Amino acid sequence: MSKRHFHPDLLRARQALRRVLDQRFAPGSVTFDRLLWLGGGLSRSGYLAHLEASRPQGALLESAVVLVPKRDADHDYPARARREFALLTRLQGLALPFRAPKPIGLLDGGEGPVAVYSQVIGWPVQPVSGKPQPAEHLELLAQVAAGVHGLPLADIASEWTWFGGQRTRRAHAEEALAALRELGRPSADLAAAWATEHLPDAVPGQRDSLPAVLLHGDLLGQNVLRDLFGNEPPGLIDWEFASLGDPAADLAVLTRGRRLPFGLADGLAQLVSAYRAAGGAEVTVPQVRVHELAMLAEQLRALQRRVGRSEAELEQKGAEFDRAVLRAVG
């Protein structure tokens, strides 16, 4: 491999995969050739390997994805990676309405855990730039969200200490509300006052709020995969940010406070309608807006703290937040 195509985590990925395979199967009984770089996020890089049983069988087993932490990954990444592996292990025992990666092995090392999963094959549900997203894409995203939120928590997170998030929808929404109050911007104060009136209701006749659901946490189209031939349920990958909380937060990840989510003027309303039609939780458009505004507020706060940011960047992000507030409260 030439220097131009060399990736610094490739050697770590190969070594980790070899050790995981030797631990999971008889040493040397499963082989792989080269690893292909799939891409990377903020915390990790992904590699694809085709696994085969050694001779004389020579049968192709499956393709595996190796997730290697970047050297500058944030300090919370190891905990997220271990929780993701534990969650996906627990999901294997459930009848899922989507395809999820199957855990093969997790190797803890000095630079963070390397996880190996089976590959989930499919086309990402990505929008075409500048064009409205097809209705079937929006419906598929809503279907997957409803499927995740409908999973039985008793079989997934009965031990609350190992899983992150909130126990009730209202607690999660109040956490989002705090992000608005801490921004210290007139439009944020307006947003906080408005959001207070649109928190999830308490359960009728009870003190407690509606219980939390399982959230994927990064429910972007790039992580939702359509089956190539339309015969299998959609695939859902990258569970790194999964937690417990308000289902409206997962929908906010899809719409992100944009003026035209999915390229549609009523994209958010259509998403909520499709989500409810797919059997999703009782969620309203304003409840999603609360999490959209909190997400934008956190992005603005992060930019305010960033060293080297320009005033133009800050003004642009601030104006984006102000416009989202006006769309919500107007």
Side-chain angles (χ1 to χ4, degrees):
M1 179 178 288
S2 68
K3 289 185 178 180
R4 186 178 61 172
H5 295 96
F6 178 75
H7 198 273
D9 294 322
L10 178 61
L11 181 59
R12 293 169 62 206
R14 289 188 64 88
Q15 292 173 338
L17 178 58
R18 182 69 273 158
R19 290 181 61 185
V20 164
L21 293 177
D22 286 348
Q23 290 173 3
R24 175 73 183 272
F25 308 100
S29 64
V30 177
T31 62
F32 60 91
D33 193 2
R34 61 176 183 160
L35 270 66
L36 301 176
W37 185 57
L38 293 175
L42 294 176
S43 301
R44 60 191 183 185
S45 297
Y47 297 86
L48 178 66
H50 298 289
L51 309 182
E52 293 185 2
S54 59
R55 297 180 184 279
Q57 296 90 347
L60 178 68
L61 294 180
E62 59 187 349
S63 294
V65 174
V66 187
L67 299 176
V68 184
K70 293 185 176 180
R71 299 179 191 276
D72 59 350
D74 64 83
H75 69 282
D76 291 333
Y77 175 74
R80 292 200 306 270
R82 295 185 191 100
R83 189 167 60 236
E84 177 184 33
F85 193 87
L87 170 61
L88 287 169
T89 299
R90 296 188 183 205
L91 290 186
Q92 298 310 304
L94 303 179
L96 301 176
F98 47 79
R99 293 174 293 131
K102 297 177 181 178
I104 296 176
L106 183 72
L107 183 67
D108 252 320
E111 296 177 321
V114 177
V116 182
Y117 297 99
S118 65
Q119 183 190 22
V120 178
I121 299 175
W123 293 106
V125 183
Q126 293 281 57
V128 177
S129 179
K131 295 184 179 181
Q133 200 156 348
E136 57 266 27
H137 284 194
L138 190 149
E139 292 168 0
L140 183 59
L141 293 168
Q143 172 194 335
V144 170
V148 173
H149 301 162
L151 292 176
L153 281 186
D155 296 329
I156 300 169
S158 56
E159 304 166 21
W160 291 90
T161 55
W162 80 275
F163 212 79
Q166 300 288 349
R167 294 196 180 199
T168 67
R169 289 178 55 181
R170 192 176 184 90
H172 189 185
E174 287 173 342
E175 184 179 68
L177 187 62
L180 294 172
R181 288 175 172 153
E182 294 168 4
L183 188 58
R185 188 180 182 93
S187 58
D189 297 336
L190 174 63
W194 172 86
T196 303
E197 301 175 0
H198 295 91
L199 299 178
D201 293 330
V203 178
Q206 301 181 29
R207 288 188 197 175
D208 294 335
S209 173
L210 297 167
V213 302
L214 176 65
L215 305 180
H216 179 270
D218 197 14
L219 203 60
L220 298 175
Q222 66 196 37
N223 294 326
V224 178
L225 307 177
R226 294 172 294 152
D227 177 53
L228 300 176
F229 303 103
N231 300 321
E232 297 287 338
L236 184 55
I237 61 173
D238 201 351
W239 291 74
E240 178 188 347
F241 294 99
S243 64
L244 305 178
D246 185 2
D250 258 353
L251 302 187
V253 170
L254 284 168
T255 54
R256 309 188 80 79
R258 295 189 179 97
R259 183 176 66 86
L260 297 174
F262 311 110
L264 303 168
D266 61 343
L268 173 53
Q270 286 198 36
L271 174 66
V272 170
S273 177
Y275 172 76
R276 296 285 298 279
E282 297 285 333
V283 168
T284 66
V285 167
Q287 289 168 357
V288 178
R289 293 284 195 202
V290 170
H291 289 281
E292 285 183 334
L293 294 176
M295 187 184 307
L296 293 173
E298 289 171 355
Q299 292 172 0
L300 183 53
R301 289 177 64 199
L303 184 60
Q304 289 171 340
R305 295 191 295 263
R306 198 181 79 191
V307 176
R309 51 91 177 151
S310 68
E311 288 304 314
E313 287 180 292
L314 193 57
E315 289 180 11
Q316 181 179 358
K317 182 61 70 173
E320 178 185 345
F321 175 80
D322 293 344
R323 289 192 294 269
V325 171
L326 292 176
R327 285 195 294 273
V329 307

